[in-house]
Amino acid sequence: MRTAPTILHLDMDAFYASVEQASKPSLRGKAVVVGGLGPRGVVATASYEARVFGVHSAMPMGQARRLAPNAAYLVPRFDLYRSVSERVMELLRALSPLVEPLSLDEAFVDLEAGGVAWDERSARLAGVKLRADIRAVTGLTGSVGLAASKMLAKIASEEAKPDGLVVIEPGTERAMLGPMPVRILPGVGPATGDHLRRAGITTVEEIVEAGEDELVRLLGQAHGHGLYAMALARDDRPVVAEREAKSVSVEDTYDVDIHDRTRVGLEVQRLAERCVRRLRGAGLSGRTIVLKVRRYDFSTLTRSETLRGPTDDPAVVREAAARLLDSVDTTGGVRLLGVGVSGLADYTQEDLFAQAAGEGAVAESPVEERPVAPAEEQPSLAERRWPAGHDVRHAEFGHGWVQGSGLGRVTVRFETPTSEPGRVRTFRIDDPDLEAADPLPLVSVGERGPAGEAGSQAVSSVPASLPKSRSGNGGGAATSRP
């Protein structure tokens, strides 16, 4: 196990919400919540201003609205988030060939493998420069943790939030981990945490005091050994450059249970089309088609069919998904549907068209992205056409974004990422001068972010201990500002 803190963990701060704030001047410094806006929607990301009110990711959107009624509630723009993420990942890959993305906004980097860091000082300088480069390229902030292992680097980045850098100095790891709650360790979720708590173990130091044999007795051989090693700050997991995708899938949760079998079938077809677009976008094909159905009583059924070879043909996937649906009883209503493809490969077997279709004919007409359904079971026309937060352009007023829609009207705020907060205007939803638009760049070419200089970075070394109190939004980092 290495001793120098040359493993870096980057975690972008409230990523989706921060992207929205960067693109919308009127929302900067305001509470912003991104996620599904229907009654069954959940929060994907909340800005730090929204977290003050208790809003957090995975919270039901209805609860978030009760906690922060005056926040801006926006529909995610994943294409924009992916494009910003790729800019960040490019910066990471410039540091090292060993970059392990965990999600759009989070990754590990082995700085030593890239030759940019070999001791504490060089690692710190690399982290400071990375944060400045991210601000310059995207206008966003990211928190950086540096340590000798992946586990410790991730803990350090959490302590650095928001907008900071924390280095865990060699020799301080055990003392730093000791007072922390057991949930800080990888693999300790709510169930394991409760199991340990009932055994009188609530901190990492108490894990060490209990001993390896007791951990094995409580949690089993593999989990007990692994958890005890991590409590001793032992983590030899390498940074893996390529994390092979095991499946590609899409799913939708519906605000109102779908009872109409015809609409269920149309939704499955639409999801199959979306899944194939995502599959092709990744340059992949797959041989196992998976259907997921969550019924009115929250019971979840999964059905799968394995083809003779990999495919990325939308007709093949649609037909397989339809056959799988035939084996599922949806009489009581459906609240969630999903279609996925696994058994991935980077090639396609071209003669599979007939294989999934069997002897029957395959419909050649494209499936509508949003099939028609009874009004009480789908969002209004305005909400479908003009999602809150999405970009629009007006022939007279220029670029803006949708603040809200309904009752035949859509309200737009006209501003751009580099403008002052803009004015608000309301139009008919069928106004011929208003159209959907692509997002604008968050940072103009050649523009430097306001924190582009290293001297403005929040940097800290972790001594023998960290503060025990941790705020709900991860903002309790121990930092010192030069």
Side-chain angles (χ1 to χ4, degrees):
M1 181 175 173
R2 72 182 71 196
T3 56
T6 54
I7 299 294
L8 180 148
H9 181 258
L10 170 71
D11 197 349
M12 299 296 290
D13 299 322
F15 183 54
Y16 299 168
S18 293
V19 170
E20 298 297 346
Q21 288 176 318
S23 69
K24 301 172 172 65
S26 59
L27 296 186
R28 293 169 192 169
K30 307 288 181 62
V32 174
V33 181
V34 180
L37 302 189
R40 291 179 182 164
V42 297
V43 175
T45 306
S47 70
Y48 285 99
E49 295 85 357
R51 296 182 193 189
V52 171
F53 298 99
V55 180
H56 58 77
S57 61
M59 171 181 286
M61 191 60 76
Q63 182 180 356
R65 289 184 183 276
R66 289 191 293 273
L67 292 172
N70 296 320
Y73 289 86
L74 308 177
V75 175
R77 296 186 291 167
F78 288 110
D79 287 344
L80 175 59
Y81 306 152
R82 277 189 285 269
S83 67
V84 175
S85 172
E86 186 53 39
R87 301 293 303 277
V88 174
M89 296 302 166
E90 287 173 1
L91 293 175
L92 299 184
R93 295 185 189 105
L95 290 175
S96 173
L98 293 184
V99 176
E100 182 178 342
L102 303 179
S103 62
L104 291 179
D105 61 342
E106 186 179 2
F108 287 110
V109 184
D110 188 331
L111 298 177
E112 188 174 355
V116 297
W118 49 91
D119 59 11
E120 181 186 344
R121 180 178 179 277
S122 56
R124 185 191 301 270
L125 290 174
V128 168
K129 183 177 185 302
L130 172 64
R131 294 183 62 246
D133 288 345
I134 289 172
R135 177 70 73 94
V137 169
T138 69
L140 306 178
T141 64
S143 296
V144 166
L146 289 158
S149 70
K150 290 168 69 172
M151 176 187 75
L152 293 170
K154 185 171 175 61
I155 291 173
S157 70
E158 184 65 24
E159 293 298 323
K161 281 186 168 294
D163 192 19
L165 185 154
V166 166
V167 181
I168 297 181
E169 298 174 350
T172 68
E173 297 92 347
R174 286 281 306 278
M176 179 271 297
L177 279 177
M180 289 188 164
V182 295
R183 289 287 303 277
I184 200 73
L185 299 178
V188 181
T192 301
D194 287 344
H195 194 50
L196 292 172
R197 179 182 54 78
R198 288 194 296 270
I201 300 172
T202 59
T203 67
V204 175
E205 184 58 35
E206 288 170 347
I207 290 178
V208 176
E209 292 172 354
E212 188 170 10
D213 291 343
E214 178 66 5
L215 264 292
V216 169
R217 186 187 71 80
L218 288 171
L219 304 175
Q221 190 79 7
H223 199 182
H225 281 303
L227 192 59
Y228 184 72
M230 288 186 175
L232 294 173
R234 298 173 186 164
D235 177 19
D236 294 328
R237 294 174 300 160
V239 175
V240 180
E242 296 296 332
R243 293 170 58 90
E244 183 178 354
K246 296 182 179 180
S247 65
V248 173
S249 63
V250 296
E251 62 182 43
D252 275 344
T253 300
Y254 303 98
D255 296 343
V256 179
D257 290 348
I258 304 175
H259 294 84
D260 183 348
R261 181 74 179 190
T262 300
R263 187 189 170 196
V264 172
L266 287 171
E267 288 292 316
V268 168
Q269 298 289 283
R270 181 176 64 85
L271 289 166
E273 293 277 348
R274 284 175 51 195
C275 183
V276 169
R277 286 200 297 272
R278 184 171 295 183
L279 193 70
R280 288 180 167 180
L284 298 170
S285 61
R287 59 180 308 196
T288 300
I289 314 303
V290 181
L291 175 71
K292 177 180 177 182
V293 180
R294 181 167 298 149
R295 298 188 293 190
Y296 69 98
D297 58 357
F298 287 90
S299 62
T300 302
L301 304 177
T302 302
R303 300 287 185 268
S304 64
E305 175 180 319
T306 299
L307 310 175
R308 291 196 299 268
T311 184
D312 67 351
D313 190 316
V316 173
V317 177
R318 287 200 308 265
E319 288 294 308
R323 282 197 303 279
L324 293 170
L325 179 62
D326 287 341
S327 67
V328 178
D329 179 11
T330 62
T331 305
V334 170
R335 60 188 297 117
L336 177 146
L337 290 167
V339 174
V341 177
S342 61
L344 301 182
D346 56 3
Y347 65 94
T348 303
Q349 187 168 312
E350 297 296 344
D351 64 352
L352 290 175
F353 188 90
Q355 145 183 323
E359 298 301 321
V362 176
E364 295 183 326
S365 59
V367 176
E368 293 183 13
E369 177 64 18
R370 294 197 177 270
V372 176
E376 68 272 15
E377 292 189 354
Q378 65 176 11
S380 68
L381 175 63
E383 291 167 334
R384 294 201 318 274
R385 186 176 178 186
W386 307 114
H390 284 224
D391 297 84
V392 295
R393 177 168 292 281
H394 191 274
E396 178 181 354
F397 301 109
H399 192 94
W401 58 277
V402 176
Q403 280 201 326
S405 59
L407 300 178
R409 297 286 186 268
V410 54
T411 299
V412 177
R413 184 180 288 273
F414 290 97
E415 59 187 7
T416 70
T418 57
S419 74
E420 296 295 321
R423 297 187 62 181
V424 175
R425 296 181 182 273
T426 299
F427 308 91
R428 299 192 319 272
I429 62 170
D430 58 352
D431 190 316
D433 290 334
L434 189 66
E435 62 181 3
D438 292 329
L440 298 176
L442 302 185
V443 176
S444 298
V445 176
E447 179 182 338
R448 296 285 298 181
E453 298 181 2
S456 65
Q457 306 299 312
V459 183
S460 174
S461 295
V462 177
S465 63
L466 282 170
K468 296 181 181 180
S469 62
R470 294 168 59 83
S471 66
N473 63 10
T479 58
S480 60
R481 299 183 182 273

Coordinates of all heavy atoms in Angstrom, one line a residue, residues 37 73-74 380 382-383 386-390 401-413 424-427 429 434:
L37 N -40.7 16.2 -11.4 CA -41.6 17.2 -10.8 C -43.0 16.6 -10.5 O -43.9 17.3 -9.9 CB -41.7 18.4 -11.7 CG -40.4 19.1 -12.0 CD1 -40.6 20.4 -12.6 CD2 -39.6 19.3 -10.7
Y73 N -37.9 24.6 -9.0 CA -38.0 23.2 -9.3 C -37.8 23.0 -10.8 O -38.7 23.4 -11.6 CB -39.3 22.6 -8.7 CG -39.3 22.6 -7.2 CD1 -39.6 23.7 -6.5 CD2 -38.8 21.5 -6.5 CE1 -39.6 23.7 -5.1 CE2 -38.8 21.5 -5.1 CZ -39.2 22.6 -4.4 OH -39.1 22.5 -3.1
L74 N -36.8 22.2 -11.2 CA -36.5 22.1 -12.6 C -36.4 20.6 -13.0 O -36.0 19.7 -12.2 CB -35.1 22.7 -12.8 CG -34.9 24.2 -12.4 CD1 -33.5 24.7 -12.6 CD2 -36.0 25.1 -13.0
S380 N -49.9 17.6 -18.6 CA -50.6 18.5 -19.5 C -49.7 18.7 -20.7 O -48.5 18.5 -20.7 CB -50.9 19.8 -18.9 OG -49.7 20.5 -18.6
A382 N -48.8 21.5 -22.0 CA -47.8 22.5 -21.7 C -46.6 21.9 -21.0 O -45.4 22.2 -21.3 CB -48.4 23.7 -20.9
E383 N -46.9 21.1 -20.0 CA -45.8 20.5 -19.2 C -44.9 19.6 -20.0 O -43.7 19.5 -19.8 CB -46.3 19.8 -18.0 CG -47.0 20.7 -17.0 CD -47.8 20.0 -16.0 OE1 -48.3 18.9 -16.3 OE2 -48.0 20.5 -14.8
W386 N -43.1 22.0 -22.7 CA -42.2 23.1 -22.1 C -41.8 22.6 -20.7 O -42.3 23.2 -19.7 CB -42.9 24.4 -22.1 CG -43.5 24.9 -23.4 CD1 -44.8 25.0 -23.7 CD2 -42.7 25.2 -24.6 NE1 -44.9 25.5 -25.0 CE2 -43.7 25.6 -25.6 CE3 -41.4 25.3 -24.9 CZ2 -43.3 26.0 -26.8 CZ3 -41.0 25.7 -26.2 CH2 -42.0 26.0 -27.1
P387 N -40.9 21.7 -20.6 CA -40.4 21.3 -19.2 C -39.7 22.4 -18.5 O -39.0 23.2 -19.1 CB -39.4 20.1 -19.5 CG -39.7 19.7 -21.0 CD -40.2 21.0 -21.6
A388 N -40.0 22.5 -17.2 CA -39.4 23.6 -16.4 C -37.9 23.5 -16.4 O -37.3 22.5 -16.1 CB -40.0 23.5 -14.9
G389 N -37.3 24.6 -16.7 CA -35.8 24.7 -16.7 C -35.2 24.5 -18.0 O -34.0 24.8 -18.2
H390 N -35.9 24.0 -19.0 CA -35.4 23.7 -20.3 C -35.3 25.0 -21.2 O -36.0 25.9 -21.0 CB -36.2 22.6 -21.0 CG -35.9 21.2 -20.5 ND1 -35.7 20.2 -21.3 CD2 -35.8 20.8 -19.2 CE1 -35.5 19.1 -20.6 NE2 -35.5 19.4 -19.3
W401 N -35.3 30.4 -20.7 CA -35.6 29.1 -20.1 C -37.0 29.1 -19.5 O -37.5 30.2 -19.1 CB -34.6 28.7 -19.1 CG -34.3 29.6 -18.0 CD1 -33.6 30.7 -17.9 CD2 -34.9 29.5 -16.6 NE1 -33.6 31.3 -16.7 CE2 -34.5 30.5 -15.9 CE3 -35.8 28.5 -16.1 CZ2 -34.8 30.7 -14.5 CZ3 -36.2 28.7 -14.7 CH2 -35.7 29.8 -14.0
V402 N -37.6 27.9 -19.5 CA -39.0 27.8 -19.0 C -39.1 27.9 -17.5 O -38.5 27.0 -16.8 CB -39.6 26.5 -19.5 CG1 -41.0 26.4 -19.0 CG2 -39.6 26.5 -21.1
Q403 N -39.8 28.9 -17.0 CA -40.0 28.9 -15.5 C -41.2 28.0 -15.1 O -41.2 27.5 -14.0 CB -40.3 30.4 -15.1 CG -39.0 31.2 -14.9 CD -39.2 32.4 -14.0 OE1 -40.3 33.0 -14.0 NE2 -38.2 32.8 -13.3
G404 N -42.2 27.9 -16.0 CA -43.3 27.1 -15.7 C -44.3 27.1 -16.8 O -44.2 28.0 -17.7
S405 N -45.3 26.2 -16.8 CA -46.3 26.1 -17.8 C -47.6 25.5 -17.3 O -47.5 24.8 -16.3 CB -45.8 25.4 -19.1 OG -45.5 24.0 -18.7
G406 N -48.7 25.8 -18.0 CA -50.0 25.3 -17.6 C -51.1 26.2 -18.0 O -50.8 27.4 -18.3
L407 N -52.3 25.7 -18.0 CA -53.5 26.5 -18.4 C -53.3 27.2 -19.8 O -53.7 28.3 -20.0 CB -53.8 27.6 -17.3 CG -54.1 27.0 -15.9 CD1 -54.3 28.1 -14.9 CD2 -55.3 26.1 -16.0
G408 N -52.5 26.5 -20.7 CA -52.4 27.0 -22.0 C -51.3 28.1 -22.1 O -51.2 28.8 -23.2
R409 N -50.5 28.3 -21.1 CA -49.5 29.4 -21.1 C -48.2 28.8 -20.7 O -48.1 27.8 -20.0 CB -49.9 30.5 -20.1 CG -51.2 31.3 -20.4 CD -50.9 32.2 -21.6 NE -52.1 33.0 -21.9 CZ -53.1 32.7 -22.7 NH1 -53.0 31.5 -23.3 NH2 -54.0 33.5 -23.0
V410 N -47.1 29.5 -21.1 CA -45.7 29.1 -20.7 C -45.0 30.4 -20.3 O -45.1 31.4 -21.1 CB -45.0 28.4 -21.8 CG1 -45.0 29.1 -23.2 CG2 -43.6 28.1 -21.4
T411 N -44.4 30.4 -19.2 CA -43.6 31.5 -18.7 C -42.1 31.3 -18.9 O -41.6 30.3 -18.5 CB -43.9 31.8 -17.2 OG1 -45.3 32.0 -17.0 CG2 -43.2 33.0 -16.7
V412 N -41.5 32.3 -19.5 CA -40.1 32.2 -19.8 C -39.3 33.4 -19.3 O -39.8 34.5 -19.3 CB -39.9 32.2 -21.4 CG1 -38.5 32.2 -21.8 CG2 -40.7 31.1 -22.0
R413 N -38.1 33.0 -18.7 CA -37.2 34.1 -18.3 C -36.1 34.2 -19.4 O -35.4 33.2 -19.6 CB -36.6 33.8 -16.9 CG -35.7 35.0 -16.5 CD -35.1 34.7 -15.1 NE -36.0 34.8 -14.0 CZ -36.4 35.9 -13.4 NH1 -35.8 37.0 -13.7 NH2 -37.2 35.8 -12.4
V424 N -39.0 38.3 -17.3 CA -39.9 37.2 -17.4 C -41.1 37.7 -18.3 O -41.6 38.8 -18.2 CB -40.4 36.8 -16.1 CG1 -41.5 35.7 -16.2 CG2 -39.3 36.3 -15.2
R425 N -41.5 36.8 -19.3 CA -42.6 37.0 -20.1 C -43.4 35.7 -20.2 O -42.9 34.6 -20.1 CB -42.2 37.5 -21.5 CG -41.5 38.9 -21.5 CD -41.1 39.3 -22.8 NE -40.4 40.6 -22.8 CZ -40.9 41.8 -22.8 NH1 -42.3 41.9 -22.8 NH2 -40.2 42.9 -22.7
T426 N -44.7 35.9 -20.5 CA -45.6 34.8 -20.6 C -46.2 34.7 -22.0 O -46.6 35.8 -22.6 CB -46.7 34.8 -19.6 OG1 -46.1 34.8 -18.3 CG2 -47.7 33.6 -19.7
F427 N -46.3 33.5 -22.6 CA -46.8 33.3 -24.0 C -47.8 32.2 -24.0 O -47.9 31.4 -23.1 CB -45.7 32.9 -24.9 CG -44.5 33.9 -24.9 CD1 -43.4 33.6 -24.0 CD2 -44.4 35.0 -25.7 CE1 -42.3 34.5 -23.9 CE2 -43.3 35.9 -25.6 CZ -42.3 35.6 -24.7
I429 N -49.0 28.6 -25.2 CA -48.1 27.4 -25.5 C -47.9 27.1 -26.9 O -46.9 26.5 -27.3 CB -48.6 26.1 -24.8 CG1 -50.0 25.8 -25.3 CG2 -48.7 26.3 -23.3 CD1 -50.5 24.4 -24.9
L434 N -42.0 30.9 -30.5 CA -41.3 30.3 -29.4 C -41.0 28.8 -29.8 O -41.9 28.1 -30.2 CB -42.2 30.3 -28.1 CG -41.5 29.9 -26.8 CD1 -40.4 30.9 -26.4 CD2 -42.5 29.7 -25.7

